[in-house]
Amino acid sequence: MSGRGPPGPPCAPGGHAADASEILAVSFNQDQSCLAVATTRGVKIFSLDAGLECVFEHRMGACRIAEMLFRSSLLVVVGAGETHDMSPRRLKVFNTSTREVIADLPFPDTIAAVRLDRQKLVVVEARRATIFDLATLAAQREIATAPNERGVVAMTSDETGETSLVALPADAFVATRSGRASRDAADGHGHGDAVSLRRENRSSRLGVVVVHDCLNHHAVCEIRAHRAPLAAMAFCSDGSLLATASERGTVVRVHVLPAADEKNTRTFRRGVSSAVVRQLAFGGSPSGAGLALAASSEKGTVHVFELRAASSAGEDDATTRAAEPARASADAETGGSSSGSSSSSASSTTSRLLAWRAFGVGAAAATAKLAGAVSAKVAGVALGRELARSAADALDAEREVATVRLPAVSEGCEAARAKAAARGGFGVAGACAVRGAARDCLPATAPSAGSSTKTPSSAETRASSIRVVAVNGDALLCEYSVCLEKGDTRGPVLERERCVARAAAVAPAEKTESEKTRATARERSGGAEDDDVGLCGSVALNPADPVDLSASMSASMGQSLFLAKK
């Protein structure tokens, strides 16, 4: 099949529709090294660095949301509503090392999404988002959003904690400042005479994103990203880029922050037909292969785009190519600095031919770019701004460098997906992450006999390769190696796969002292010992009366998930 390489090493059998119905949600952690799986029985955590191994499992009851904090022991879960304790309107902060609930936060509406970093916790409901301080779990700010039942949100993943940005769909109300209105007044926290709320037409606010600074509590910018409702968003690691996709799913846009100027926005063509974009994910290294962006859809494909250089890099390359003939002519006139007359003449002729060839390629590229710009301007005059943007998307959108096709799902997958959705699940098809190339995940290539083509070294191949990890509709976790070089003909290569529904933890962690004490108490009381059933030790919180949890939260954030395995 196109886009799929030879099979990888032996692994667990493939997934089935019955497996998919047990998985309610999956999510990657901030550094994309682990996968948290919310099931009808509890939570599982897989390590992508340990061969897709299941390193943690806890049967606490059906969960619809499970979010990790990097590789720490802090885990946030939301129940599926099968019991009162696991209500979809209750958020539980869980410590995987002690297997205890640190806090239990109630909410008036069903929780649609949760995001967290080193400083803040963001809880998204259907029409609002609440920002909490992660150390104390005290509510700090509420932000009104557009109807957001799908929980579309993006948050930065700065491990140092110096940056904390969150992107949310814009509300229909627009705050306008008058006189000496402050930034706090514009956010709705100032005096009523300094700020006025104006409701815009809801259709004109579709696809609008507002980026908020969670540390300083103000709006950074507003982006008119799409004309349709938003479907997915993602920040790069340092928060300088924001990728967005709409429910139409035909294009993906990358906005440069904080200005978010439309002139610097890059547009990538995902496809011609509409598709539900499941997730956007940045990955790679600017110093290596360059930044990569993956866009996965429920159609079972992951499109990989490359952001090797900024938009100005193409102009710099064109300028360099245009200057090469002049430099070649100057070199020909001087005859070189240290070469002989005959070798200098030969090298001068060769460099002149190469320079003029590069000039011809650069001129052709510049002409094509100019034609596209003129076409876009003509379309803007004839069709108006909105239709002109559609024409620009068709003319100027960049294509993907690779397409990963996940294994085909089994029969009954749609029924299994509907069954999982009926239990509060979000579906698993299309969840993806982008990681750097591993030493053991590089495809081996040998030059053919008599070939003069230079074979790239393993360091060069690793610098131009990434790994794409994605989950298909049958709960099958697959890892592919993808080369970002445009001339590469190998395509994505499947390296590993594992069914996340069937996998169990390799070895249970040794019981802590608190667990041993509870087990002894249960034995004395005649109760059965089962550490994986139910949650204990929770502290119910009231946002109006916060409790100091800094010690418990700091301990959880400082503990590693893999501490018991070392």
Side-chain angles (χ1 to χ4, degrees), residues 126-144:
R127 291 184 176 272
R128 70 170 185 172
T130 307
I131 300 177
F132 296 84
D133 179 69
L134 190 59
T136 62
L137 295 180
Q140 295 183 329
R141 186 185 178 197
E142 288 187 4
I143 302 173

Side-chain angles (χ1 to χ4, degrees), residues 215-226:
L215 297 179
N216 299 309
H217 303 292
H218 68 83
V220 177
C221 62
E222 182 177 289
I223 307 171
R224 294 187 177 271
H226 303 272

